[in-house]
């Protein structure tokens, strides 16, 4: 699991670089390869001798599309609600998130930040962000179910997707489905 052909993904960590070097696409024991897009496959096409082993299957959303589209977005006109959703890991753009929070903290606008998800950086963010950015209000939800996730998207003025490399684009696709930029 990974975006092994992406130079950005490989440069995210030494672990990713090692993974990309250890992948053997022409191993005779290899039964199949699944890519999530033509572009992702394109970065490996020259390394794969047996194209019949390849399938391109975009990751589908498990969202209840009807529920997501039929509920109206409940925006508070006075408060800007910004959400960061997904794994709380360095490679998901947490450095960029902190730069954005620094800028937002300087504004006079009432801003609420919802952080939904979990990962190795969760405890660090929960203890650090409210202390560093006292002009912002924070809501940390941890991992949430689909119903709650749809509510978060629909109450958000904006959803941030900050990873430098994205193979699925799931958060962005879910946000669009809920009508949230």
């Amino acid at each position: 699991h990974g975006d092994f052909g992406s130079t950005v993904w490989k440069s995210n960590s030494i672990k990713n670089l090692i993974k990309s070097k250890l992948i053997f696409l022409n191993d005779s024991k290899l039964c199949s390869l699944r890519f999530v897009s033509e572009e992702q496959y394109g970065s490996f096409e020259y390394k794969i001798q047996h194209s019949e082993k390849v399938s391109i299957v975009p990751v589908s959303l498990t969202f209840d599309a009807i529920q997501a589209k039929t509920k109206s977005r409940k925006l508070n006109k006075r408060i800007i609600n910004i959400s960061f959703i997904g794994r709380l890991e360095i490679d998901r753009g947490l450095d960029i998130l902190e730069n954005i929070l620094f800028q937002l903290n300087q504004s006079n606008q009432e801003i609420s930040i919802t952080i939904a998800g979990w990962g190795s950086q969760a405890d660090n963010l929960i203890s650090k962000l409210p202390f560093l950015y006292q002009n912002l209000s924070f809501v940390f939800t941890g991992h949430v179910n689909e119903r709650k996730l749809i509510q978060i998207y629909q109450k958000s003025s904006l959803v941030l997707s900050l990873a430098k490399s994205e193979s699925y684009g799931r958060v962005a696709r879910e946000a669009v489905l809920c009508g949230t930029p």
Side-chain angles (χ1 to χ4, degrees):
H1 173 80
D3 201 358
F4 296 94
S6 166
T7 55
V8 174
W9 183 84
K10 288 186 245 184
S11 68
N12 275 336
S13 71
I14 190 73
K15 184 176 158 183
N16 288 359
L17 180 62
I18 292 168
K19 283 181 182 179
S20 72
K21 299 291 183 191
L22 294 176
I23 189 167
F24 299 103
L25 300 177
N26 286 318
D27 189 320
S28 62
K29 295 175 189 153
L30 189 66
C31 298
S32 68
L33 288 167
R34 181 180 64 85
F35 295 94
V36 298
S37 69
E38 290 281 349
E39 292 78 20
Q40 192 180 54
Y41 170 58
S43 64
F44 285 105
E45 190 172 12
Y46 71 96
K47 292 183 176 184
I48 302 169
Q49 292 174 354
H50 306 289
S51 61
E52 67 275 0
K53 293 181 179 183
V54 172
S55 58
I56 298 170
V57 182
V59 176
S60 62
L61 298 178
T62 57
F63 252 33
D64 180 345
I66 295 169
Q67 182 183 5
K69 283 189 174 183
T70 57
K71 283 192 172 182
S72 62
R73 292 185 62 217
K74 299 170 184 155
L75 296 180
N76 183 332
K77 304 283 188 218
R78 195 173 50 83
I79 301 172
I80 296 173
N81 292 297
I82 298 174
S83 296
F84 183 86
I85 298 169
R87 291 183 302 109
L88 302 181
E89 302 292 344
I90 299 294
D91 68 331
R92 304 310 300 160
L94 297 181
D95 55 337
I96 300 169
L97 176 64
E98 289 214 41
N99 289 335
I100 291 169
L101 295 177
F102 178 80
Q103 295 296 320
L104 294 173
N105 196 54
Q106 308 300 314
S107 77
N108 293 326
Q109 177 70 44
E110 194 171 345
I111 300 172
S112 175
I113 309 294
T114 299
I115 298 181
W118 201 255
S120 67
Q121 297 300 307
D123 291 336
N124 180 38
L125 293 173
I126 290 168
S127 64
K128 179 172 83 170
L129 295 182
F131 176 74
L132 288 177
Y133 308 107
Q134 295 178 357
N135 293 335
L136 307 174
S137 66
F138 289 90
V139 176
F140 296 93
T141 68
H143 183 77
V144 296
N145 64 30
E146 179 182 312
R147 194 170 130 250
K148 178 68 176 166
L149 191 54
I150 289 172
Q151 290 172 354
I152 292 170
Y153 282 123
Q154 292 175 331
K155 289 180 182 175
S156 297
S157 309
L158 176 70
V159 173
L160 300 174
S161 180
L162 304 173
K164 294 175 181 136
S165 173
E166 188 66 73
S167 56
Y168 295 161
R170 185 178 195 134
V171 170
R173 292 186 296 141
E174 289 173 346
V176 168
L177 184 62
C178 290
T180 307

